Amino acid sequence: MDRLDIALLEHMQQDSQVPLTSLSEKVGLSPSACHRRIKALEKDGAIKRYVAELDNRKIGLQLDVFIEIRLTAQTEISFSAFETAVHQIDEILECHLMSGEADYRLRVAARDVADYDDIHRNCLARLPGVAAMHSAFAIRAIKKWSGYPVERLLG
């Protein structure tokens, strides 16, 4: 990956809908060369997919909840069963295997506390092998994820 690929990725993370002619001007490539590089980045898996970023509050999901999960056992079978179950629950937005006291950290969005109670009772409480679950409600986001710092790859 060279500086042009990194520049393409940086611009595309900010706006993946930018017209190819504008993008090619921003990175100093012809539109055809820019298109070839984008296709190569897609083929190599650096660009996995294109998505729309939604405003959670405008669609009625007022509450962000982070849940730390500790499993009853740290075995391959326990991890596999838990991870398979997580993939079946649409309400779980993110799941990360962690180091430290918690085995996993989940992120869930809910309309309000009552909605989270429903998600907790009917989804999270049914996850296999859970020994302990601790929820924390986000008060407000200070900085939301907006892309990887790909420019650091140059240094």
Side-chain angles (χ1 to χ4, degrees), residues 53-111:
E53 181 182 350
L54 306 180
D55 185 318
N56 62 305
R57 296 196 182 274
K58 289 190 179 181
I59 62 170
L61 297 171
Q62 305 294 318
L63 196 60
D64 263 330
V65 186
F66 297 89
I67 305 106
E68 291 188 343
I69 303 281
R70 194 166 29 88
L71 299 182
T72 55
Q74 282 69 42
T75 65
E76 181 59 35
I77 292 169
S78 297
F79 289 143
S80 183
F82 180 84
E83 291 170 14
T84 298
V86 162
H87 280 286
Q88 305 305 311
I89 300 173
D90 292 336
E91 290 81 1
I92 298 174
L93 305 178
E94 297 178 34
C95 175
H96 300 272
L97 178 63
M98 304 298 291
S99 64
E101 288 186 36
D103 293 311
Y104 292 94
R105 179 167 294 148
L106 310 179
R107 182 173 156 247
V108 169
R111 290 186 299 275

Side-chain angles (χ1 to χ4, degrees), residues 95-144:
C95 175
H96 300 272
L97 178 63
M98 304 298 291
S99 64
E101 288 186 36
D103 293 311
Y104 292 94
R105 179 167 294 148
L106 310 179
R107 182 173 156 247
V108 169
R111 290 186 299 275
D112 52 30
V113 174
D115 187 39
Y116 177 67
D117 180 49
D118 181 61
I119 293 167
H120 185 276
R121 288 174 182 267
N122 295 306
C123 300
L124 302 177
R126 296 181 181 171
L127 290 167
V130 174
M133 186 175 351
H134 300 280
S135 301
F137 297 92
I139 296 169
R140 70 181 161 97
I142 307 304
K143 179 181 179 181
K144 287 194 173 194

Side-chain angles (χ1 to χ4, degrees), residues 4 8 11 18-31 34:
L4 291 171
L8 281 170
H11 288 293
V18 66
L20 184 61
T21 53
S22 298
L23 184 58
S24 63
E25 288 173 11
K26 288 179 181 183
V27 299
L29 289 172
S30 70
C34 186

